[in-house]
Amino acid sequence: MANKYHIITYGCQMNKSDSERIATVLKSSGYSPTPNRKEADLVVINVCSIRQSALDRVYGLISNIKNKKSRLYQGLDEQIKTQIKNQKIILTGCILPKDKEKLKNKVDLIFDINQLTNLPQMLSQTNTNLSRHLAIKEFDNLAIKQLNNYLSIKPCYSTFPFAYLPIMTGCNNFCTYCVVPYTRGREVSRPVEEIICEVKELIKRGYKKIILLGQNVNSYKSKTPNSKLKKVNFPKLLKIVNNLPGDFWLTFITSHPQDFSDELIETMTKCEKVMPYLHLPVQSGDNQVLKKMNRHYTVAHYKELIKKIREKFAKIREGFEKNICISTDIIVGFPGETKKQFAQTARLMREIKFDMAYIAKYSPRPGTAATKLKDNIPLKEKEKRWKILAKILEKTALKNNKKYLNKTVEVLIEKQSGNSLYGQTKTFKNVKVYSPEQKITGEIVEVKIKKISPWGLAGELIKN
C-alpha cells in the first residue's frame, strides 16, 4: 500500500507553483496524493511568512494537526493508531532563519525550497518508517536530476486550464518590509530554453493561459547558447513565448516600477497573446514613505508609467483590450506614516482608478530593515485606513466594470460548480456564467454580460 501525502499551501502564486514541484518529487518517490489530511503519512506545509499574520496561521495549523492526532486515537484499531502516530509534518517555503529556529521542534523536517531536489535524502535521514520509499537509487527513474536550480523539476500542474510558470526566483531589491531576499535569496533566472520547453509542453496539453512568475519578472536576464540570442531580457522572452504557435493567453506577475522599461511597454502592447492586464505594486502614494520602504521610484514616476501604458494600449489594441486592467499592492500603516502621507495614497488611488488593489496592514517581520523603525501606527488606525482605501477601490472597480454591461466578451472557462461556470476575461475580470448546458472547462467562449459588481461580472453563454 503506497504511502500518501497532503500538501497545504499558503501565500502567493510562486508558493503554489512550488507545491506542484514538491508533488513531483513525492510522487516520483513512491507517494500518492490524498485530499484528506487525516489519511496522509506526510503533511507538507508550504509556508508564506511575508507577514506575521501568515506565520501565525502556520503555528495554529501545526497545533491543530497535533491535537487532532491525539483525539483521533479514541475508538480506532491499532493499525490506524500507528498510522496517525507516524504522520510526519514537513515545512518549507519562505521561512526566515529565526522562524526556523522557533519551529524546528514543532515539525519533523524543515527545508528551504531551493533544496527540493534533496528532499528524498533528507526524509530518509529522519526517524520515520517511510524511508523505504526514498531510496537514492530511485532517482534513476525520476523526472528530476540533481540540479542547482530546483525550478528545473517538472511540476505536477494542478490548475488547468491555466498554469503558473516561474521564470526566476529571489529578489535583489531589499524593500525594507520584505523577507523575500532573506528567504529565497538573490535573483536567479531560469535558462530561456528551459522556459520555452515548458511552455511548449503546456500548449501541447491544451493549457489556455500561461502566467510567468517571479518576484520581479521584469529584471529577468538569461544567457543562451543560441548564437542569435546571446542574452535574453524579459521583453525578449515575452516576444519569444508570444510567437510560439498555439491558442493561448499570456500574462506575468509581479513587476517592479523601477525596472518597467519602455521596451517592455512596447512589447506588451504589440504581442497579441499578452493579456491587457498588469499587476504593478505601488505600496504607497507618498514619496517619503516610498523612500523608507527602499522602493527607488517616486509617485510621479509611477503615475507617468501608468499613463504611458494606458496610452499605448489605447493606441495599439482594439475593443476591450484598449482599456488595460491594472491592479496593485498597497501597505497601510507603515512605520511613521502620517495621516497626511496616507491621504496621498488615497489621492493616488482615486486618480489611478485601479481595477483591483491588494491592501495590507503593515506588520513587522523580524530580520527585515523596517523592524528598526518604530511600529507606531495603532492597529485600529491601520484598520481605519484599510477601510478607506477599500471603499475607494470598490467605487473605481465598479465604474471600470460598467463598460462591460450588455457587451459580449471572450471568457476562458476555468471551473464548473453546480449550474454555473466560472472563468476570466482576457482583461483578468472574473466572470460567472449562468446555467451552462455543457461542460466546457478549458475553452474560450463568448459571454454576454448581464450583471456587474466591483469584483466581477456575470452573464449568459452565447451559442455559436
Side-chain angles (χ1 to χ4, degrees), residues 1-16:
M1 180 178 175
N3 285 297
K4 298 178 180 179
Y5 71 88
H6 180 80
I7 300 176
I8 301 167
T9 308
Y10 291 103
C12 68
Q13 294 87 345
M14 183 67 84
N15 287 64
K16 292 173 185 175

Side-chain angles (χ1 to χ4, degrees), residues 180-387:
V180 168
Y182 310 103
T183 59
R184 289 187 175 269
R186 298 299 185 94
E187 291 175 0
V188 177
S189 294
R190 292 178 70 186
V192 63
E193 294 83 3
E194 194 176 283
I195 295 167
I196 299 309
C197 185
E198 190 169 340
V199 173
K200 287 180 177 179
E201 167 90 7
L202 290 167
I203 296 169
K204 186 178 179 181
R205 292 170 61 175
Y207 281 78
K208 295 295 185 181
K209 182 166 68 179
I210 296 169
I211 305 167
L212 305 181
L213 297 182
Q215 273 71 41
N216 185 15
V217 289
N218 39 5
S219 63
Y220 174 89
K221 293 182 182 67
S222 177
K223 294 179 181 178
T224 169
N226 188 322
S227 59
K228 294 181 181 179
L229 298 169
K230 291 182 180 179
K231 289 185 179 179
V232 176
N233 61 8
F234 184 60
K236 286 186 174 64
L237 176 67
L238 215 54
K239 285 180 186 177
I240 294 168
V241 176
N242 179 81
N243 291 337
L244 292 174
D247 181 20
F248 64 95
W249 298 348
L250 179 63
T251 190
F252 55 88
I253 45 178
T254 293
S255 298
H256 196 298
Q258 73 173 355
D259 300 318
F260 214 96
S261 65
D262 289 344
E263 182 189 7
L264 179 53
I265 296 172
E266 185 82 10
T267 301
M268 282 182 68
T269 53
K270 291 186 176 179
C271 289
E272 69 282 356
K273 290 172 184 171
V274 173
M275 297 170 63
Y277 166 74
L278 175 64
H279 183 71
L280 192 62
V282 66
Q283 303 301 1
S284 175
D286 181 83
N287 287 333
Q288 288 181 313
V289 175
L290 288 173
K291 189 174 181 180
K292 282 185 180 180
M293 290 178 168
N294 197 37
R295 290 293 286 174
H296 296 295
Y297 57 84
T298 63
V299 174
H301 174 79
Y302 186 90
K303 288 162 65 174
E304 182 62 24
L305 262 181
I306 298 296
K307 181 183 176 184
K308 284 196 288 187
I309 291 164
R310 282 177 167 161
E311 286 178 350
K312 200 73 175 177
F313 267 86
K315 182 179 179 181
I316 302 294
R317 295 293 184 100
E318 297 179 353
F320 286 107
E321 294 189 24
K322 283 180 171 291
N323 300 297
I324 182 172
C325 173
I326 297 175
S327 63
T328 195
D329 293 335
I330 292 175
I331 297 172
V332 297
F334 191 76
E337 182 189 60
T338 65
K339 290 183 178 180
K340 185 178 179 181
Q341 289 170 334
F342 168 73
Q344 292 282 76
T345 301
R347 187 177 293 111
L348 179 71
M349 280 199 70
R350 292 188 186 96
E351 185 176 341
I352 299 293
K353 297 178 174 58
F354 293 106
D355 291 82
M356 179 55 70
Y358 303 92
I359 308 162
K361 297 183 283 286
Y362 173 78
S363 61
R365 295 296 294 119
T368 61
T371 55
K372 296 176 183 178
L373 304 172
K374 187 178 180 180
D375 183 23
N376 59 349
I377 312 298
L379 179 59
K380 190 175 180 179
E381 178 63 21
K382 290 177 184 178
E383 289 172 346
K384 179 183 176 183
R385 294 179 187 185
W386 185 95
K387 287 177 182 178

